[in-house]
Amino acid sequence: MLRLMDGLSVWDRAVVIGASSGIGAAIGRQLADEGTTVILIARREERLAEIVEDINQRHSGRAQYLTCDVRDVAACENTFDKILAEGDVDAVFYCAGVIPEGGAKGFPTTADVAAIQANLVGAVVWLNRAAEMFQRRGAGTIVGISSVAGERGRQPNPVYSATKAAFSVYLESLHYRLARSGVTVLCVKPGFVRTEMIGRRRVFPPAVSSTEAARVIIQSARGRRRMIYVPAWWRLIAIVFRSAPAALFRRLPI
Ligand SMILES: NC(=O)c1ccc[n+]([C@@H]2O[C@H](COP(=O)([O-])OP(=O)(O)OC[C@H]3O[C@@H](n4cnc5c(N)ncnc54)[C@H](OP(=O)(O)O)[C@@H]3O)[C@@H](O)[C@H]2O)c1
């Protein structure tokens, strides 16, 4: 349930999937700082334990973690069951994602299939479950971290772009289906965010911090937005991207 705390509407209990680093970890920390109890999910147990310990030192008992590989459908279902056995959930943030290694130059089928499972299949398993539960309740918040990479087919990483295009359309469809039930569904399309995913690589336009990305994402979810670019000016780049001729994309390695 959203409740008021220091003038902010705050969720009681939220699940963040893909929370051991980057955007998901920053969302988990900020939600906890605002008064939400968070359950953080990912594979790297040491990283999760560190983040949870840090949160709980500041706000006792406000964070816990469960390990889960989102490519494993049964593990996702069991983890969701465990979370619900301990209480209701008001918001689910799906932040897990990978860029398939070797996809920029070659055609690494194994890595591509793993990326489809992590970026899309896992998302559908977690968010279908959340959608069903929130629709029944007539309230709830679903947030999915997609990408500007899904706006257009491009040479590097065809499968990463394809998973993000599919994820964006899935989230848009969920929004249309659930809006009248009072459920918020937010699709987030980041440009560049300085996380382990891009490492120290120099990027242009410049990357924003994961803390800033998390701040905007949480604020937009609270404001019941349907789709946002992070930072917002990526919306303009996306318009240029979508309208540029295919001949340009055949020549440029972007
Ligand atoms: N950084 C950017 O510039 C950027 C731009 C556009 C979109 N995005 C999207 O933002 C989301 C978050 O990425 P990030 O930038 O924060 O990168 P990140 O620091 O690498 O975080 C990725 C998260 O996904 C989790 N994850 C990956 N595979 C998983 C699996 N099989 N099972 C469970 N968890 C898994 C990772 O945890 P474990 O490895 O511990 O499992 C980690 O917590 C991704 O969906 C990414 O595509 C990022």
Side-chain angles (χ1 to χ4, degrees), residues 50-121:
E50 241 170 66
I51 297 166
V52 163
E53 193 187 328
D54 181 50
I55 293 173
N56 285 339
Q57 267 173 7
R58 280 176 290 123
H59 316 286
S60 179
R62 206 172 280 173
Q64 68 178 93
Y65 72 82
L66 291 168
T67 55
C68 171
D69 186 333
V70 296
R71 295 170 300 178
D72 180 340
V73 173
C76 295
E77 298 276 14
N78 290 339
T79 309
F80 215 143
D81 286 341
K82 271 190 208 159
I83 293 168
L84 292 181
E86 290 185 10
D88 276 347
V89 166
D90 313 296
V92 177
F93 293 74
Y94 194 90
C95 310
V98 289
I99 296 179
E101 215 167 297
K105 295 223 167 73
F107 300 94
T109 302
T110 305
D112 279 348
V113 171
I116 294 169
Q117 287 167 333
N119 299 0
L120 191 60
V121 177

Side-chain angles (χ1 to χ4, degrees), residues 169-210:
V169 174
Y170 168 76
L171 290 165
E172 182 182 359
S173 307
L174 277 193
H175 164 79
Y176 295 142
R177 188 185 279 202
L178 298 177
R180 271 189 287 165
S181 310
V183 180
T184 299
V185 181
L186 171 65
C187 172
V188 180
K189 298 182 180 180
F192 292 121
V193 182
R194 188 57 69 191
T195 66
E196 289 174 21
M197 183 167 271
I198 60 169
R200 288 161 181 249
R201 192 156 52 94
R202 282 168 74 106
V203 290
F204 188 80
V208 294
S209 69
S210 55

